[in-house]
Amino acid sequence: MILQDMKPTRRSFLVGSGSLAFALLAGGGVSVVRSAGAEPATAGLRDINGWVVINRDGSILIRFGAAEMGQGVNTSLPMIVAEELDAYWATVKVEQVSMDPDGIFGNPGFGGILFSAGSSSLEGYFDHLRRAGATARRILIHSAAAHWGVSPAQVTTEAGVLVNAASGKRMAYGDVVALPEIVTDIPAITDADLKPRADWRIIGSDPGRLDIPGKTRGAALYSIDVRLPGMLYAAQLLAPVEGESPVAVSDRSARDLPGVVQVVTLANSVAVLAERWETALAARDLLDVTWSEGSAFRKYGSEQELEELSRAVDDASLPAFAWESRGDAATALAQGTRKHAATYSTTHLYHAQMEPLNAVASVDEDGKGAEVWLGTQSQTISIGVAAGVLGTTPDRIRFHAMQMGGAFGRRTVFARDLLRDALLLSRAAGRPVKLMWTREDDVKNGWLRPATVHRLEATLDADGEVTAMSHRVASPSIMQFAFPTRWNPETGRDLLVMEGTESTDYAIPHFRAEHVITPRRCRVSAWRGIGWAPNCFARECFIDELAEQAGADQVTFRRNLLRNSPRGLAVLDAVVAMSGFGQAPQGRAHGLSFAGYKATRGAGVAEVSVEDGRFRVHRFWAAVDPGFAVHPDNLRAQVEGGILFGLSSLMRERASFTDGIIDQSNFYDYEPIRISDIPEIEVRIVESGAAPSGAGEIGVPMTGAAVANALRLLTGTTPRQMPFGVDVS
Amino acid sequence: MISLSINNKLVEVDTDPSTPLLWVLREHLGLVGTRFGCGAGLCGACTVHIDGEAFFACQTLVGDVADGRVVTIEGLSKQGDHPVQRAWIAEQVPQCGYCQSGQIMRAAALLARNPQPNRQDILDEMSANLCRCGTYARIVRAIERAAEEA
Ligand code: FES
Ligand code: FES
């Protein structure tokens, strides 16, 4: 059932007021629970786990299931509910969903679980949230109609007010809470019941993000900020290489430090528990640990891996998993006469989210339950991990999904180790524990974007049309490593690596994309833009080179390829117009890239110069088609951020490892882009009216080739390895 | 015991004078709006004011500020309405928000010293602070707005 005990924190909402809570159930049913004003103070109040709570005072609480990591879902998702509910936006408050025992809040586009990744929240939740809002509105209408003794068809709504035009009667939403009868037996919402787009007044508008005022006062709370009575601080000395463990621990001097409570040996680390964080850090420095040192990963370095990938991409005898196939690319490529081939590569990258990973856990006395505070991209997975660690059931985990100080793919399943260790430490100490990584811990234990090598081949016909193209990627699999239970070794389909190779917008009769899966040499994970970033970089550099071979300019050549894709053409034309493509000022050049991210289409133009062997991106224009924009200003902000994330990955960012150990340690040797390096950015939203799709990552994939193609014009050669470094001479 | 003036209040903390001010603020005093990003003076997430100037709290030993007036994001304004904070809302700067206390404190110190900074002044000063979400363009606009409106 959908009832759960109400948390005391919610009580303040209800005291002396009463409320109605609305849930749209998985099967399309609806449930409403009313709580009377006087009850909250007494025992036994039940609250419903619903999307919408309407309070007697007219305020409305809307819950959102996606996890807030900076992408603004705390505002954009509730806007969708509020639109169909016809709420008065200023009365809306929002709340992050931390737990979903009854499967109500999961992303329908993500297997119905709480999981925020792949820019999928808006796309996945859109329809569902509209229905949730429309259902709640219909219940209000039917209830008011019954009260007034009129037919529901005679009741309309106006931003938080129910209206019966014939009688002139009006009732605020909050007043429905006090009606003697709430009508919940209503016809189900159909598509025809949803507001036509022309009537939208919240979707497509720019209310400020609801989390921003707090974030300007330092008031947002991240898991790293949690402090609990009796809480201990934990600093971890982590195994130098994956798979190693402590074999001998000499901790006498660490234990002797006043304030050190315990030194605990875990599977891959030794942790110091202390009353204070500074003590935990100081004691960690005093540990003397001998590690097993037997890890196979000690044999590898990143340079070596890149060579391995280059060999693999060229070795036709290696098996490759087909990712996309149209026509007969093999035959067409073999028969073609005007051929072009090129190889591109990308090196490992680290996420560098600004909040170093951390976890807070307080294990119950019986060791079979816990309260947990965590920044995670998947509440569902984290709760499952916690239950597994304690050998208990998920209902024993009281979970707080905290605002994340950035995630970028690092905090999906890739952050479970800290959660595990925080739980084990709390259980060992019998006290709440805050486990924090330093920046050095976070870098040295990074789960990196894998290095990739891309081999592209194409043939042109006599008219310069692309008749066949293939895109072969060599890299380790992320899916196999991160989601072993969902990995099918027969088909070898790794969407985290291969998405973005499909080139479906391009009219190429014979096409194939394939993945040569190489052995994993370090921890790998998804990184903002996933496969789209490296794949679009390689493909769009190649397209520019093909245009040159065909004797066509970059725009005409791409327009022809996009002839069957109106959405592709629209963003390409928009960015060409915005940028005055090809008319760069003296000493600068324009580079163009078409690029998508899942259903979202985008195209970018970079204006670049090279001075003293260093490149600089002066301006960047982007045109993006997300179907339509639910929250346009936030969408622009996401694209701006994505563009800078992408540009950053072309410049100084580069992770490497030697003998299994990541070489970098902090922002001096892994330096994300700074404000002094940014171009002027202009983002235009080009709405096709298609179903809405995400924008958190679309800025990233367009950057690589846009800059590389400009550099080719300036220097005569395409930089084929990303990052290009700032020095390109 | 070390006595400190923080946000115009005198507080006493029981720690070693060599403890970074950052840990004192966050973990001893619960002023968690000042963030930990790198602990090495490389990111600016921990930026606070000491006698009106921007400092990295992670690089400042608590024993060294006994005579100074420390102001954190929580003490920048009473109602969260410092011109920089207002401009930050108007330009919708924050995304994840984690770097933003530091950005705002540095921007406020810049404007206190140089009320009409040009674009280069802004870039030079703000280069000390990283924002991984990529809010830089809006940071520039917000500082320009705050300078105009102050
Ligand atoms: S935490 Fe102080 S500069 Fe990064
Ligand atoms: S807003 Fe996320 S790091 Fe700046």
Side-chain angles (χ1 to χ4, degrees):
Chain A
M1 259 317 290
I2 44 164
L3 298 173
Q4 67 163 32
D5 286 314
M6 204 185 82
K7 291 212 290 288
T9 45
R10 196 161 303 140
R11 197 163 289 171
S12 56
F13 243 110
L14 305 175
V15 168
S17 57
S19 68
L20 288 178
F22 298 81
L24 187 61
L25 306 181
V30 62
S31 176
V32 181
V33 167
R34 181 216 303 262
S35 60
E39 277 174 31
T42 66
L45 177 88
R46 316 282 275 179
D47 181 34
I48 191 173
N49 222 343
W51 288 109
V52 177
V53 179
I54 295 181
N55 295 299
R56 181 70 185 85
D57 65 3
S59 65
I60 292 176
L61 176 73
I62 300 179
R63 302 198 173 110
F64 57 98
E68 182 58 57
M69 57 191 115
Q71 80 281 44
V73 282
N74 69 78
T75 304
S76 56
L77 294 180
M79 283 169 72
I80 301 165
V81 179
E83 179 71 72
E84 290 293 342
L85 177 60
D86 208 15
Y88 180 48
W89 180 254
T91 62
V92 170
K93 295 184 172 65
V94 298
E95 183 180 87
Q96 167 99 64
V97 172
S98 286
M99 294 180 281
D100 188 21
D102 305 300
I104 291 171
F105 295 105
N107 184 345
F110 222 112
I113 67 168
L114 297 172
F115 198 125
S116 305
S119 299
S120 64
S121 299
L122 214 121
E123 191 171 338
Y125 277 113
F126 186 74
D127 272 342
H128 194 72
L129 295 184
R130 287 181 85 191
R131 274 159 220 281
T135 302
R137 175 173 171 270
R138 178 164 283 179
I139 288 168
L140 297 177
I141 287 178
H142 280 246
S143 301
H147 183 68
W148 287 331
V150 300
S151 117
Q154 292 173 303
V155 178
T156 54
T157 58
E158 285 171 14
V161 180
L162 293 140
V163 181
N164 175 232
S167 67
K169 284 186 175 141
R170 299 169 67 84
M171 186 187 304
Y173 282 6
D175 294 340
V176 177
V177 176
L179 292 182
E181 193 204 352
I182 304 297
V183 180
T184 57
D185 185 17
I186 54 156
I189 295 290
T190 65
D191 283 354
D193 297 322
L194 299 173
K195 268 194 199 179
R197 201 175 160 187
D199 292 351
W200 287 349
R201 55 184 180 78
I202 297 174
I203 295 177
S205 74
D206 277 326
R209 274 178 61 156
L210 296 169
D211 56 342
I212 281 185
K215 285 175 175 174
T216 66
R217 298 193 306 267
L221 286 183
Y222 306 81
S223 57
I224 202 169
D225 299 330
V226 171
R227 294 157 78 237
L228 301 169
M231 184 179 86
L232 291 172
Y233 292 90
Q236 251 180 327
L237 190 64
L238 290 137
V241 178
E242 180 185 351
E244 295 184 349
S245 47
V247 287
V249 180
S250 154
D251 59 6
R252 154 133 342 173
S253 34
R255 281 177 198 272
D256 281 351
L257 266 194
V260 170
V261 174
Q262 218 172 330
V263 175
V264 182
T265 300
L266 295 166
N268 315 106
S269 70
V270 179
V272 178
L273 291 167
E275 300 287 353
R276 293 173 183 177
W277 173 235
E278 59 268 28
T279 312
L281 282 177
R284 179 174 77 158
D285 286 345
L286 300 173
L287 290 173
D288 187 1
V289 178
T290 310
W291 301 95
S292 55
E293 294 201 8
S295 172
F297 291 99
R298 286 206 180 247
K299 293 207 285 280
Y300 306 109
S302 45
E303 286 298 323
Q304 221 181 321
E305 188 187 350
L306 265 177
E307 288 164 21
E308 202 180 349
L309 295 176
S310 299
R311 280 195 303 275
V313 89
D314 283 337
D315 184 348
S317 71
L318 284 179
F321 291 103
W323 174 256
E324 172 87 10
S325 180
R326 302 189 292 272
D328 180 359
T331 309
L333 284 168
Q335 287 169 353
T337 48
R338 291 175 76 187
K339 289 192 197 180
H340 182 59
T343 303
Y344 306 85
S345 62
T346 70
T347 62
H348 299 87
L349 294 169
Y350 156 70
H351 297 81
Q353 81 290 341
M354 286 302 293
E355 178 193 10
L357 294 184
N358 61 86
V360 182
S362 178
V363 174
D364 298 347
E365 229 163 279
D366 68 357
K368 291 285 181 194
E371 192 156 6
V372 171
W373 292 259
L374 188 73
T376 174
Q377 288 178 249
S378 178
Q379 300 93 313
T380 306
I381 290 182
S382 297
I383 290 168
V385 166
V389 169
L390 298 180
T392 188
T393 46
D395 59 298
R396 287 292 311 272
I397 307 300
R398 285 137 10 242
F399 194 78
H400 303 270
M402 305 297 287
Q403 158 74 49
M404 286 173 267
F408 313 119
R410 182 66 176 87
R411 295 169 125 146
T412 56
V413 294
F414 313 112
R416 64 194 156 202
D417 294 359
L418 279 99
L419 170 58
R420 176 198 64 198
D421 292 349
L423 287 160
L424 294 176
L425 292 170
S426 172
R427 190 166 70 184
R431 288 170 66 175
V433 166
K434 173 152 75 176
L435 170 63
M436 287 189 272
W437 277 6
T438 61
R439 177 58 57 186
E440 288 79 4
D441 296 333
D442 202 272
V443 177
K444 290 282 179 204
N445 296 278
W447 288 36
L448 308 176
R449 185 174 91 180
T452 56
V453 176
H454 308 250
R455 172 87 180 159
L456 283 106
E457 287 178 48
T459 59
L460 300 169
D461 68 12
D463 300 328
E465 297 251 352
V466 184
T467 51
M469 188 162 112
S470 83
H471 187 160
R472 180 174 159 101
V473 182
S475 90
S477 167
I478 301 173
M479 289 293 292
Q480 185 182 15
F481 173 51
F483 299 93
T485 54
R486 288 175 53 197
W487 175 247
N488 181 343
E490 302 295 313
T491 56
R493 291 186 72 76
D494 190 331
L495 69 104
L496 296 174
V497 171
M498 290 304 290
E499 266 195 356
T501 54
E502 305 83 355
S503 309
T504 38
D505 285 286
Y506 286 159
I508 300 173
H510 304 285
F511 179 86
R512 85 168 168 221
E514 60 186 23
H515 187 188
V516 184
I517 296 182
T518 55
R520 183 173 72 80
R521 304 305 189 199
C522 65
R523 296 177 175 106
V524 292
S525 72
W527 196 91
R528 190 179 192 177
I530 52 170
W532 296 84
N535 293 330
C536 289
F537 156 65
R539 199 232 2 260
E540 291 297 312
C541 287
F542 188 66
I543 294 288
D544 249 38
E545 295 178 30
L546 279 181
E548 194 172 5
Q549 302 267 323
D553 72 81
Q554 307 96 313
V555 178
T556 315
F557 192 72
R558 281 191 181 76
R559 289 198 90 251
N560 182 45
L561 282 171
L562 288 170
R563 61 188 179 268
N564 298 333
S565 169
R567 295 182 64 185
L569 270 180
V571 290
L572 187 80
D573 287 347
V575 85
V576 164
M578 282 163 80
S579 61
F581 183 76
Q583 317 282 305
Q586 183 74 29
R588 300 182 184 179
H590 283 168
L592 173 64
S593 174
F594 175 69
Y597 184 90
K598 300 187 191 262
T600 304
R601 302 296 197 286
V605 169
E607 183 172 297
V608 182
S609 72
V610 175
E611 274 159 53
D612 306 324
R614 316 192 80 191
F615 78 84
R616 183 167 185 95
V617 183
H618 300 270
R619 303 187 68 177
F620 201 99
W621 296 267
V624 168
D625 171 13
F628 55 84
V630 169
H631 191 185
D633 186 54
N634 183 47
L635 191 143
R636 267 188 292 274
Q638 289 304 301
V639 178
E640 290 162 14
I643 289 167
L644 293 182
F645 211 87
L647 292 178
S648 187
S649 71
L650 315 177
M651 298 173 67
R652 294 181 194 86
E653 281 188 47
R654 179 181 187 156
S656 60
F657 52 91
T658 307
D659 303 332
I661 299 174
I662 292 178
D663 299 320
Q664 291 72 26
S665 56
N666 205 321
F667 293 133
Y668 68 91
D669 52 6
Y670 195 98
E671 193 181 16
I673 192 168
R674 290 184 183 273
I675 202 169
S676 46
D677 288 323
I678 67 164
E680 257 178 74
I681 299 175
E682 196 184 318
V683 176
R684 185 177 299 167
I685 301 169
V686 180
E687 295 190 331
S688 60
S693 50
E697 296 169 84
I698 181 69
V700 184
M702 63 177 73
T703 51
V707 174
N709 289 337
L711 286 171
R712 183 176 57 88
L713 297 179
L714 290 164
T715 67
T717 45
T718 309
R720 287 184 173 156
Q721 184 178 91
M722 205 164 100
F724 318 140
V726 275
D727 298 321
V728 291
S729 43
Chain B
M1 281 290 179
I2 301 169
S3 309
L4 299 168
S5 158
I6 298 187
N7 298 336
N8 282 323
K9 269 201 226 106
L10 229 47
V11 296
E12 304 232 303
V13 280
D14 171 19
T15 189
D16 191 277
S18 68
T19 303
L21 176 62
L22 179 59
W23 307 142
V24 171
L25 293 173
R26 290 184 51 78
E27 307 297 348
H28 290 247
L29 301 171
L31 293 167
V32 292
T34 305
R35 311 289 177 193
F36 164 50
C38 69
L42 300 164
C43 77
C46 64
T47 305
V48 297
H49 295 172
I50 301 173
D51 295 330
E53 274 189 65
F55 280 88
F56 298 128
C58 71
Q59 299 300 294
T60 306
L61 306 184
V62 66
D64 292 346
V65 291
D67 301 331
R69 283 179 310 107
V70 178
V71 174
T72 70
I73 185 74
E74 290 91 348
L76 180 63
S77 64
K78 283 217 165 60
Q79 311 288 336
D81 56 356
H82 185 281
V84 170
Q85 287 167 310
R86 279 190 279 125
W88 242 245
I89 293 172
E91 296 294 342
Q92 293 282 295
V93 177
Q95 291 187 22
C96 85
Y98 197 79
C99 72
Q100 299 294 344
S101 304
Q103 307 278 8
I104 288 169
M105 293 307 281
R106 183 165 305 278
L110 165 67
L111 291 177
R113 190 179 70 232
N114 176 2
Q116 294 299 324
N118 63 29
R119 187 164 277 244
Q120 198 55 47
D121 296 336
I122 294 172
L123 299 183
D124 288 347
E125 177 70 24
M126 299 308 293
S127 283
N129 288 41
L130 286 172
C131 172
R132 185 56 161 165
C133 295
T135 65
Y136 294 133
R138 289 171 187 244
I139 287 174
V140 174
R141 286 210 296 275
I143 295 174
E144 287 170 349
R145 176 191 281 261
E148 240 166 64
E149 290 179 359

